[in-house]
Amino acid sequence: MTATTSTMGETLSTQVVGRVWMRTETTDGRTVFVLRNRLTDVPVRRPVNVTYPNGLRGRLRLLGFDEATVATPLDNDWRTGASSMPGWWQAILAVPTLRPFRVPADLAAALRDAGLDLEVLPMVGQRRHAALWVQAAEHGPVRQQRIAAVVAAAVDYLEAGQGRHAESMRGQR
């Protein structure tokens, strides 16, 4: 289940995967958990929280492949939580909430003047990076250069057809 609240001022994404079926596999001395169903709407390579069947909690890193999703333990608690379980077992996964960020007013105004908003950038991480990069600069020429760079990148994404909603926004600028 994914819940995303997105406004020009703030983006906050909360993702709760819920119960998933896993099995423990050890190859070359490394333990991984193979998920029965491939997860497609969860960011990979980010740590997720796991609650094992016996109630213990830990952290995993999800890795997405063409055919499967695999989780690697990030702590040693998995030995107590999952090592004794034969075959498939259920766990509860939760992706920690992304911290909110605000788009600086001057960046929002420049994007609006160009007929865009930061949502053109396809990934939340890109939008967050752009907003925080501008926010880190003091008001002055450096900040204006950064704003111009973000607006140019948003235009490039849209014109290359890579931006979010690129098809629906073509010709509207």
Side-chain angles (χ1 to χ4, degrees):
M1 181 170 109
T2 302
T4 302
T5 304
S6 180
T7 66
M8 194 58 195
E10 186 171 300
T11 299
L12 178 66
S13 178
T14 305
Q15 297 179 328
V16 178
V17 178
R19 293 190 181 276
V20 296
W21 285 93
M22 299 185 192
R23 75 170 185 263
T24 307
E25 290 188 8
T26 304
T27 306
D28 297 330
R30 296 188 68 178
T31 298
V32 297
F33 305 137
V34 178
L35 280 69
R36 181 178 283 171
N37 296 322
R38 184 171 173 263
L39 300 180
T40 57
D41 59 346
V42 177
V44 294
R45 296 193 177 162
R46 285 197 54 218
V48 298
N49 298 323
V50 60
T51 303
Y52 295 105
N54 61 5
L56 290 177
R57 295 178 184 214
R59 291 172 48 86
L60 306 173
R61 183 172 314 280
L62 295 178
L63 302 171
F65 298 100
D66 289 341
E67 300 295 323
T69 301
V70 175
T72 58
L74 294 176
D75 50 34
N76 286 326
D77 292 342
W78 70 268
R79 288 178 177 29
T80 310
S83 64
S84 62
M85 299 204 225
W88 292 98
W89 45 274
Q90 271 193 328
I92 300 171
L93 295 183
V95 178
T97 303
L98 295 173
R99 68 180 192 275
F101 66 93
R102 297 209 178 274
V103 177
D106 49 356
L107 174 59
L111 287 164
R112 219 176 8 258
D113 290 347
L116 302 169
D117 68 24
L118 205 54
E119 294 293 316
V120 167
L121 298 177
M123 295 171 50
V124 171
Q126 291 172 326
R127 295 190 293 272
R128 177 187 311 278
H129 176 76
L132 294 176
W133 185 55
V134 168
Q135 192 173 27
E138 293 181 16
H139 289 278
V142 171
R143 188 174 179 109
Q144 292 307 313
Q145 290 170 349
R146 290 182 180 187
I147 289 170
V150 170
V151 171
V155 169
D156 288 348
Y157 267 96
L158 187 62
E159 288 177 353
Q162 296 174 352
R164 292 178 53 153
H165 317 293
E167 290 298 319
S168 63
M169 290 185 69
R170 270 205 184 97
Q172 291 183 15
R173 294 188 320 117

